[in-house]
Amino acid sequence: MKTIKYTNAAYRLWAFILLVSTGTSLMSQAQNTEGPDSLVYKRRVLMSEVLQKGVRVKKKNFEELLKNNPKALKNYRLGSYIRPLGPLVSIGGIGLCYVAIKGKPASAEVEGTIHNYTIRSLPLLVAGVGAFVGGICIIEFSHELQSNAVKAYNSSLGAKKTTLLQKTKFGITPTGNVGFYARF
């Protein structure tokens, strides 16, 4: 059995990798803190929900929150409208696959003997698989539209929140003097 000896440089490299990975995870956890009014989008397989402070926000209330952002409201509504189409298209694809695999029974007479066989349609099978995958894509697209609406709402909250310290500047004022000035 061969043992691996690490040099001093290898130990430094492993320590650096450990430090960077730990620091990155800590920074990402620190950045994920939610504001008091921010929303969280929880994704489920077929259904999803918008949460504020851990409580589910009703669709009507969420649409009222988005009334100041028409693009986000349009995305949310579009996602709500196309969501039911996804499962229907997927179920239709499963049905097409079933019909294609089941096939049609047929028989032929070859040299005086009758042979029974099944005619299966490959294009119908491919169409069924495509419809199934398309239905899943529709579901994911609706999730993405609604998630983007929540992100747009949260980003509009962040844009409004500025502190007095961020509004206060030190330097040459607009009138040409040196000192502090603030804009409200």
Side-chain angles (χ1 to χ4, degrees):
M1 178 179 264
K2 190 175 188 181
T3 59
I4 300 173
K5 293 185 179 180
Y6 291 107
T7 62
N8 197 13
Y11 283 122
R12 288 182 189 166
L13 178 66
W14 282 110
F16 177 74
I17 291 171
L18 181 64
L19 182 66
V20 168
S21 65
T22 305
T24 305
S25 67
L26 289 176
M27 291 299 288
S28 67
Q29 288 176 0
Q31 291 173 355
N32 286 338
T33 58
E34 301 172 15
D37 295 333
S38 66
L39 300 173
V40 177
Y41 184 74
K42 290 267 185 164
R43 200 179 270 216
R44 305 274 189 246
V45 176
L46 294 177
M47 300 301 293
S48 61
E49 57 189 7
V50 178
L51 303 174
Q52 185 175 27
K53 297 178 186 174
V55 178
R56 184 174 184 247
V57 178
K58 293 183 179 181
K59 181 180 177 180
K60 185 178 180 182
N61 295 341
F62 183 59
E63 287 181 357
E64 282 188 31
L65 290 174
L66 291 178
K67 68 182 175 185
N68 295 333
N69 193 343
K71 184 178 179 185
L73 181 61
K74 186 175 122 180
N75 281 346
Y76 181 75
R77 285 183 178 163
L78 181 63
S80 296
Y81 295 148
I82 67 171
R83 167 101 24 94
L85 295 177
L88 293 176
V89 171
S90 292
I91 290 171
I94 292 171
L96 281 175
C97 289
Y98 173 75
V99 169
I101 291 172
K102 181 181 173 190
K104 293 181 184 177
S107 60
E109 185 176 336
V110 178
E111 297 179 359
T113 59
I114 297 177
H115 296 281
N116 296 324
Y117 61 95
T118 305
I119 299 173
R120 293 187 174 93
S121 175
L122 183 61
L124 193 60
L125 180 65
V126 171
V129 171
F132 178 75
V133 172
I136 292 173
C137 290
I138 290 172
I139 292 170
E140 285 304 311
F141 181 64
S142 69
H143 279 301
E144 195 64 31
L145 285 173
Q146 291 183 339
S147 174
N148 287 342
V150 171
K151 288 177 188 175
Y153 175 79
N154 287 339
S155 68
S156 69
L157 285 178
K160 292 179 185 175
K161 293 182 182 178
T162 56
T163 62
L164 182 62
L165 187 59
Q166 292 171 337
K167 295 178 185 177
T168 307
K169 304 288 182 187
F170 176 76
I172 299 175
T173 62
T175 59
N177 298 326
V178 176
F180 287 100
Y181 67 96
R183 284 185 263 173
F184 296 101

